[in-house]
Amino acid sequence: MNLKKQRRMGKHVQWVVLLSFFTSGMFSQENPKNIGLTKPQPTITLPVTKGAYQESVRKIKTEPRTQLLKVKDNEYIISNGWEMIEALNVNKNGKEISEDINTKKWYNATVPGTVLTTLVDQGVYPDPYFGLNNLAIPDSLSRMDWWYRTSFSRPQKSMGKKVWLLLNGINYTSNVWLNGTHLGDVKGAFIRGEYDITALLQDTNHLAIHILPPPHPGIPHESSSLSPRGPNGGQLCQDGPTFISSEGWDWMPGIRDRNIGIWQDVRLKTTGAARIIDPQVITDLPLPDTSFARINIKTEIECFVPDDYIMEIELDGKQLSKKLKLVSGKQEIILTPSDFRNLKMKDPELWWPNGYGDQNLYSIKMTLRNSKSGLEDRKTVRFGVRELSYEFAVSDKDVDFQRIDFNPIDAFTIKEEALFDPLNHVAYKSDIVLPTLHQGVELNMFDKLEGDNPYLVIKVNGQPIFCKGGNWGMDDAMKRVSRERLEPYFKLHKDANYTMIRNWTGESTEEVFYELADEYGLLVWNDFWMSTEGYNMPPADFGLFMTNATDVVKRFRNHPSIAIWCARNEGYAPKGLDKSLADLVAKEDGTRLYQSNSRYLNLRPSGPWNYIHDYSYLFKEHADGFSTEIGTQSFPTAESMKTMMAEEDLWPISEVWYYHDLHTGHQDYRAALIDDYAEAFSLEDYSKKAQMLNYVSHRGIFEAWNSRLWDDASGVLLWMTHPAWPSMIWQTYSWDYETYGAYYGAKKGCEPIHIQRNTNDGKVLVINTTLNEYKGLTASATAIDGSGSTLFEHKTNIGVNQNSKKDCFFFNIPDSFKLPEVYYIKLELTDRSGKMIADNFYWETINNNHKYYDFNIMDQVVVKAEGNHQISNGKLSGSIKVKNPSEAIALALKLNLRNSATNERILPAYFSDGYFSLLPGEEKVLFFECDKADLPDDLKITAEGYNVDSQTLIAW
């Protein structure tokens, strides 16, 4: 590790940061408290490993071979064949580099991918996710510029056509050259670059892209026991639109290149004398009627040869066409059901969030033809038939409080500009404010509602959606965001019964993210690239910010999953940006709410983010309204820990734990672990006890909001459900897909049909967040001792309406019953036939003192199992029935799929339940599946629990 070189750079870096700070025009406007580090932290505070740093082995360069992979609509991805080099190591300019040159000393480059991804893939640096390897990578990567290049052949059948170069995402600034000609520059991580390269094309073409880093990369804080938590970002926040957390946050370290590079794919596209640009499909339902949908299509067309054209539309097996007389330049074309009856879709299959219905998706094929020369362009747009609307309270000049139903399609038809004024908000009660209306906007534009609930409710197809899920700080800390890598995370979210993901500060803004959200039914709360007002620095270039934001809205507005465009995390957009963003959403989207602030504005305050030992506090003090952030610690499993660091650093708590985000509130978490389950004597023991805390705390958050469903509680998002790298803190599963107690606790609390007992008052209630009504159910509660014997029970017959909760009874054991120190409460919800609809299991102590020490002396249990499986097209699925034949409770059972030969976990693997308990004689059927195509020949499923040593259940 070249730490000496990094330290020599420190003085230079310090002056750069100070100069950036004092010359920032925006500093004076908001006076942020956090400008980041102005110099590297003292060496004595850096973490130190007890083991050795991993060695990297430089790969031998291979001959680059470019492929043009045809995808859709006459588009080709320029795949493979990419090379990369430090700009300081190539003594040539863009004109020369974009010609035929010797690239023997260049790296084979990973595209799409960041600079660091290439350097790690090529063995220049070790895996930054392991141990303290990240410290072995110089931070100077973020202050260097780089060259990428590739060579490609002319696309097939492109003669006589226009050929376009499409850059789908480059961070931060790029100068683009082709065959010795400068095409232009792209600035900002989220804007596309598009160039007409027809006149420059040759049989063999040389593309060169010069990457320049953001001007304010900042200095990362390195977490350690002596300096456990840094300032949460810094200078890089000025450079939004970019990945502002790449400077380092309290859930990932500073990424050494700040994720610069060609992080999305590069394409070629062929068109004719006119082309279709960013079409939008708007689905308008006559709510509450959903028997038909009006499909409105609008698109920009750029024409190069004025003439007569025909736009052909194919939708749901029906076709229509429109004659167009196009002039040179860009023009907007609108097609509506008023002009084309086939755009009135009868009995559409609606798109619904997870748990409320199916995620039906349609495609519209748009073909532009010249009446003489034939095909000019083709676009396929995937969309869902769904309509968003919102309930919240506003304040107006004539009334202090009015709850309204805001339907953007209806409202923006009247006035296509910002309607609500969040900056001139009005205080309603402690920590909650209401927007006012902009001048010229009248309350009669909206349906007025009764009640005094100030909070936001998001509705899909007229139905209120209970928004439960979590935040993604970043999809992957190095922006490795292929569908293959991301899809398992989305499946895990769907299986956990979530309905929403928050794209925090827009760090995960890419096509595949929204595609997967569409397919898995996860609404997206989508932030732009700003963080905490008054703390983090605002963006320095509003114009740059708006050009990127405009392109993002136009590019992704057809995704049915996107529910909110939010300006900023924990604050309002600066005055010069807020109205511009709101107008942008009104004009270029027109179907969604623009939310200026992720807290206070019709929302709860964010937080807390620490472990709370008294779960009843959540019910009494936090469970109301809509919260975009609330979190608690979530410690990994021991096996996950072993993939994160060297054996020497695993136990006891080491500096590497701190570097992997062990900081905020971990003392309270560890104290609770000791207080509840006794001091741990090994990593395995610590993790086993931690999973119990993880399960109960995450279930408790969702059950607290469940307890007030629609009284005023409408949404709760964990901070966080998803880790950006191997982390020790906020997450429900590991970076490599291992599910923790937190995952299954959250999954239990988010069940669409759920039975629970409130921690604060003992009330048993049933939650139904589906659109089905349930009748003839029986809700029961049973108090049980350690042998499984019944101590006290109560049951009642109930029915529960759709999308509602049902209070059943209070289950508080009379004082006359003598309870053991530790006992259990089992809840069951069954139908008329006795079929289990939902269940729940709590461990309790007398006097609520949380002393579960008896768990440590429980009899060990060996469970039995039988199961079946099938493998088809590389997908494994099956069921397994697990039975407890002993006379003791089998506590907190977790199943894993493993390679029989090596005992290694196979990830991702999906199980229908985990950290579940079995009473003596009880059995449970679980379902499992694994999507990996390269499964080993011999597999097994293992189980382990608090009092169950790891054992093989079934093998094949």
Side-chain angles (χ1 to χ4, degrees), residues 82-150:
W82 286 92
E83 300 169 286
M84 185 189 83
I85 196 170
E86 302 91 337
L88 57 84
N89 288 336
V90 56
N91 188 26
K92 295 181 184 296
N93 59 32
K95 182 179 186 302
E96 296 169 303
I97 294 173
S98 61
E99 294 174 342
D100 191 7
I101 63 169
N102 186 333
T103 59
K104 184 178 180 180
K105 295 183 178 180
W106 290 51
Y107 306 107
N108 292 119
T110 303
V111 174
T114 63
V115 165
L116 182 57
T117 298
T118 286
L119 296 176
V120 172
D121 287 350
Q122 294 306 307
V124 179
Y125 299 114
D127 176 7
Y129 288 9
F130 186 85
L132 300 183
N133 284 349
N134 197 46
L135 293 176
I137 304 173
D139 199 56
S140 57
L141 298 182
S142 66
R143 295 170 176 82
M144 299 166 59
D145 48 330
W146 303 77
W147 279 100
Y148 285 82
R149 77 182 304 278
T150 190

Side-chain angles (χ1 to χ4, degrees), residues 3 61 76 93 131 164 243-244 281 283 294 344 351 404 409 435 439 445 524 566 577 698 725 743 871 888 893 953:
L3 284 177
K61 188 183 178 186
Y76 302 82
N93 59 32
W164 302 82
F243 306 108
I244 63 174
V281 179
T283 60
R294 303 180 188 91
K344 183 176 180 180
W351 184 93
I404 63 169
I409 293 176
Q439 187 173 359
M445 290 175 57
V524 176
C566 183
L577 268 181
H698 285 76
W725 84 309
Y743 178 81
I871 297 178
L893 286 165
L953 296 181

Side-chain angles (χ1 to χ4, degrees), residues 583-595:
D583 286 343
L584 164 67
V585 171
K587 183 177 185 297
E588 298 297 349
D589 184 326
T591 67
R592 295 177 176 89
L593 174 68
Y594 167 75
Q595 176 79 17

Side-chain angles (χ1 to χ4, degrees), residues 20-21 23-30 32 172 187 215-216 234-242 244 529-530 536-546 568 574 576-577:
S20 300
F21 169 61
T23 58
S24 171
M26 289 311 305
F27 171 70
S28 59
Q29 188 183 89
E30 286 203 359
Y172 178 71
K187 189 172 183 180
H216 308 98
Q235 291 282 314
L236 189 59
C237 288
Q238 296 179 85
D239 297 331
T242 189
I244 63 174
W529 316 285
M530 293 181 281
N536 288 117
M537 303 179 82
D541 188 335
F542 286 3
L544 174 65
F545 196 98
M546 285 305 303
R568 189 175 196 167
L577 268 181

Side-chain angles (χ1 to χ4, degrees), residues 60 78 149 161 268 307-308 320 336 360 423-424 453 494 497 577 598 710 766 800 804 811 816 871:
I60 298 173
I78 303 177
R149 77 182 304 278
K161 297 282 189 180
L268 301 175
D307 207 340
D308 293 329
L320 60 94
T336 71
N360 298 297
L423 301 188
N424 290 310
N453 178 6
K494 181 182 178 71
N497 307 307
L577 268 181
S598 73
W710 306 135
V766 172
V800 57
S804 66
F811 190 73
S816 58
I871 297 178

Side-chain angles (χ1 to χ4, degrees), residues 245-266:
S245 64
S246 294
E247 187 178 346
W249 226 266
D250 54 10
W251 39 270
M252 75 175 208
I255 304 304
R256 294 328 199 210
D257 66 344
R258 307 300 188 270
N259 284 317
I260 60 174
I262 307 175
W263 72 279
Q264 289 286 275
D265 62 33
V266 179

Side-chain angles (χ1 to χ4, degrees), residues 477-496:
M478 290 170 61
K479 293 304 296 181
R480 294 172 294 187
V481 291
S482 66
R483 172 176 275 266
E484 291 72 24
R485 183 183 290 269
L486 293 188
E487 187 165 9
Y489 299 135
F490 279 86
K491 179 168 174 51
L492 285 168
H493 275 64
K494 181 182 178 71
D495 288 355

